Amino acid sequence: MKIQAFAVTLAAAAFVAGAAPAASGLKTAVFAGGCFWSMEKGFETTPGVVSAVSGYSGGSSTSPTYENHAGHLEAVKVTYDPAKISYAQLVDSYYHHIDPTDPYGQICDKGPSYKLAVFTANAEERAVAEAAKAKYGKELGAPITVATRNAAPFYNAEGYHQDYYKKNPAAYERYRIGCGRPQALRAVWGGKEAH
């Protein structure tokens, strides 16, 4: 009985950490792009993406919270259908949702937890991420501050952060507009930014 209870506890912990296996045929990818509310919205409106979950990744603590996630980046775990969108297309979508030249964070969110990163699970993903970094550095004529990092455990953010843009649309729009996000992305991408 104790062994069975322990197995159930482990399974629950894996789900909370975001490590639950994806449905057959689906894949996951993790990106840090500043505020996870904006990243979650950006990916959930991308064709081929099944879901995006806000959370924390890249740090050493195993129980990060919004109030205490030092060392972790705000990130999103994206579940996608590779029959509808490739990993390379997903990385391209990520770039067009951010200012990849900002070394301090993203738009009005500055600080260590808002820095940019693509968490790669294998050599193929790393090659795609590095190729995108080189491509956009050349296209934008500026240093790209997106780090390519090895995949790390992902921890779901608190429930009130999930789907924030859906649950609190007026508050999210005030944040987005007040932050100057549309203008900042337009200045970087010249009309090719994602919405």
Side-chain angles (χ1 to χ4, degrees), residues 41-135:
K41 180 183 185 216
F43 277 116
E44 285 193 342
T45 57
T46 300
V49 169
V50 176
S51 68
V53 175
S54 292
Y56 315 101
S57 194
S60 58
S61 67
T62 57
S63 55
T65 64
Y66 188 69
E67 290 75 24
N68 186 16
H69 59 274
H72 285 281
L73 301 178
E74 284 198 13
V76 290
K77 183 174 75 171
V78 178
T79 300
Y80 67 101
D81 183 345
K84 296 180 179 176
I85 186 170
S86 69
Y87 183 74
Q89 290 170 318
L90 202 61
V91 171
D92 281 341
S93 178
Y94 163 73
Y95 267 88
H96 286 87
H97 281 96
I98 62 170
D99 171 0
T101 67
D102 187 341
Y104 305 109
Q106 200 55 196
I107 321 294
C108 67
D109 295 307
K110 305 296 184 186
S113 66
Y114 296 114
K115 292 201 172 187
L116 308 171
V118 176
F119 290 91
T120 59
N122 53 48
E124 292 79 14
E125 288 185 1
R126 178 169 282 277
V128 167
E130 287 296 308
K133 186 173 184 174
K135 170 186 169 183

Side-chain angles (χ1 to χ4, degrees), residues 36-37 40 52-56 75-77 154-157 161-162:
F36 46 36
W37 295 345
E40 185 179 19
V53 175
S54 292
Y56 315 101
V76 290
K77 183 174 75 171
F154 180 90
Y155 301 92
N156 291 358
H161 287 299
Q162 305 302 335

